Amino acid sequence: MQTISENACFGGVRGVYSHASKATGGEMTFGLFLPEEARHVPVPVLWYLSGLTCTHENAMTKAGAQAWAADYGIALVFPDTSPRGEGVANDDAYDLGQGAGFYVNATQDPWKPHFRMWDYVAEELPALLGEQFAVDLDRQAISGHSMGGHGALTLAMSLPGRFASVSAFAPIANPTASDWGRKQFAAYLGADETTWRAHDSSLLMAEKGFDGPVLIDQGTEDQFLDLLKPETLAEAMVQRRQDGAFRMQKGYDHSYFFISTFMEEHVAFHAEALLG
């Protein structure tokens, strides 16, 4: 692992690091905020998964989460959204290929050699964090935006007991029925749509739900509402009587202005689950 940069931040350290990834077969970069408490004891971890076209950097610089995480003594992890670099498959469209990993393990060429973001986020990066930093992997929570909200929800519901809580900002809620999902799943996972179901948060909510609290925020003026399909997830939560809240925020769109407005509440939500 190599240190790209480190800066003092709200009494702790904001760092950017790179490492050779076996999961993706190349170099991966991630961001990490460690609060002051990490100098003395391992601290709980809140994952933040970003959306289409983003890198590890977007949320680190735009979401404002570090200030709130510092208040509670919680680490923040910002993975990249896909493998990158020479020799990694790509597409001219912004919503497929580099920057659009969709948090799945690709089974189809030309994607399968590198696009294994599920294994990277679920297994490899947590193990690396546990080896290199003062983090408590017995206390984890997860959040994300858009494609990252989809990833956060599907990981949380598919890994029982891993995360104490899950939240999402404007998640891609029903990708098997949306052009933000069907296109990518066909490319990464193939034509058999039964393999797609494990990566649809609305279907997972209906089938198994989450063994902890859920918080979803969705802007009413989101320009991508037809692609996100938030109503399917809301209906599934109600039908399952899921412990949680689905909030439609009047006037907000899909941007980081929306995310930064409600980030304090999301960090507080996870802090309650992680710290009691």
Side-chain angles (χ1 to χ4, degrees):
M1 191 185 75
Q2 296 183 346
T3 300
I4 296 175
S5 65
E6 288 184 334
N7 303 93
C9 183
F10 294 102
V13 177
R14 182 231 67 134
V16 178
Y17 309 92
S18 67
H19 68 106
S21 167
K22 291 182 179 179
T24 66
E27 196 77 4
M28 294 294 292
T29 301
F30 66 93
L32 176 67
F33 169 74
L34 288 174
E36 184 176 8
E37 289 84 346
R39 297 171 184 169
H40 310 290
V41 295
V43 296
V45 179
L46 173 57
W47 294 78
Y48 182 91
L49 306 185
S50 291
L52 287 166
T53 74
C54 292
T55 69
H56 66 280
E57 187 176 18
N58 294 72
M60 292 182 74
T61 59
K62 296 179 180 179
Q66 291 94 323
W68 315 122
D71 284 347
Y72 293 105
I74 295 173
L76 297 169
V77 185
F78 304 96
D80 201 348
T81 54
S82 78
R84 299 177 189 272
E86 188 176 351
V88 176
N90 202 11
D91 190 90
D92 290 337
Y94 74 94
D95 58 356
L96 185 66
Q98 295 185 36
F102 261 77
Y103 304 101
V104 302
N105 287 337
T107 60
Q108 307 298 306
D109 289 327
W111 314 104
K112 67 181 181 181
H114 300 286
F115 280 73
R116 302 190 62 81
M117 290 301 295
W118 182 279
D119 283 353
Y120 179 69
V121 173
E123 304 298 336
E124 186 176 36
L125 187 52
L128 178 67
L129 293 173
E131 293 170 0
Q132 299 290 334
F133 300 98
V135 294
D136 182 358
L137 295 180
D138 289 329
R139 293 185 292 169
Q140 297 186 66
I142 192 166
S143 183
H145 170 232
S146 194
M147 180 184 71
H150 138 79
L153 288 164
T154 55
L155 282 158
M157 286 186 276
S158 300
L159 300 172
R162 172 75 65 91
F163 301 105
S165 51
V166 60
S167 74
F169 300 89
I172 300 175
N174 189 202
T176 60
S178 168
D179 286 343
W180 271 2
R182 294 189 61 83
K183 171 185 176 179
Q184 293 81 5
F185 290 172
Y188 295 145
L189 303 177
D192 182 0
E193 295 189 18
T194 62
T195 65
W196 303 0
R197 296 182 63 85
H199 300 285
D200 187 306
S201 60
S202 293
L203 299 180
L204 289 173
M205 182 60 70
E207 293 169 3
K208 60 179 65 178
F210 176 62
D211 54 353
V214 177
L215 174 61
I216 310 294
D217 274 320
Q218 172 63 63
T220 62
E221 301 306 309
D222 194 313
Q223 58 270 48
F224 303 113
L225 273 176
D226 290 343
L227 292 166
L228 301 172
K229 298 188 177 297
E231 65 279 359
T232 57
L233 180 58
E235 290 168 3
M237 289 177 65
V238 170
Q239 290 173 5
R240 186 154 197 91
R241 300 181 180 178
Q242 171 68 45
D243 173 16
F246 192 109
R247 311 189 303 191
M248 295 297 296
Q249 301 291 1
K250 186 175 181 179
Y252 286 90
D253 58 18
H254 201 70
S255 71
Y256 266 89
F257 299 109
F258 160 58
I259 296 168
S260 61
T261 299
F262 297 101
M263 180 58 76
E264 180 183 5
E265 295 179 35
H266 280 243
V267 175
F269 164 78
H270 291 296
E272 182 176 357
L274 290 167
L275 304 173

